[in-house]
Amino acid sequence: MIEQKRVLGIVVARGGSKGLPGKNIANLVGWPLLAWSIAAAQQACSIDRLILSSDDPAIRAVARAHSCEVPFARPAELATDTSTIQEVLIHALDNVGEAFDYFVLL
């Protein structure tokens, strides 16, 4: 919480990277790349809830294995090269199931 305001942490990671396929779950010094962001967010005392937005089942599995909530699967139309972060965040906020005062994008 920040001054009695609830904070949602949103980790975004899509499958299908063209530049470096599988980068979000690639090993980086013993952990998947995605796990480093999750761990940092979990250590932040101001984040009340942490979720992942992803279209990819393997990415969602890694997030769950690192104790990150995955309350929904991102639809394929929001996981393209032309999808905007705004569209992804609106989808996440609409589907998280509760209201927050702030969100943090990771």
Side-chain angles (χ1 to χ4, degrees):
M1 284 196 159
I2 298 174
E3 298 178 357
Q4 304 305 311
K5 304 286 185 175
R6 297 191 67 228
V7 179
L8 174 67
I10 306 172
V11 178
V12 296
R14 74 177 180 95
S17 171
K18 292 179 182 174
L20 184 57
K23 69 181 173 199
N24 289 305
I25 57 175
N27 187 308
L28 177 67
V29 194
W31 270 4
L33 178 62
L34 173 68
W36 290 101
S37 293
I38 291 169
Q42 289 168 335
Q43 292 176 10
C45 61
S46 59
I47 295 177
D48 298 298
R49 184 175 175 193
L50 178 65
I51 65 165
L52 171 85
S53 171
S54 182
D55 62 309
D56 188 271
I59 292 171
R60 293 193 308 265
V62 167
R64 284 186 190 102
H66 289 270
S67 302
C68 183
E69 224 183 304
V70 185
F72 54 81
R74 188 189 319 168
E77 63 268 17
L78 295 179
T80 68
D81 288 343
T82 59
S83 301
T84 67
I85 192 64
Q86 291 89 346
E87 294 170 321
V88 172
L89 292 173
I90 289 168
H91 175 265
L93 294 170
D94 285 346
N95 288 279
V96 74
E98 61 183 301
F100 289 85
D101 300 292
Y102 303 114
F103 71 86
V104 176
L105 174 62
L106 297 119

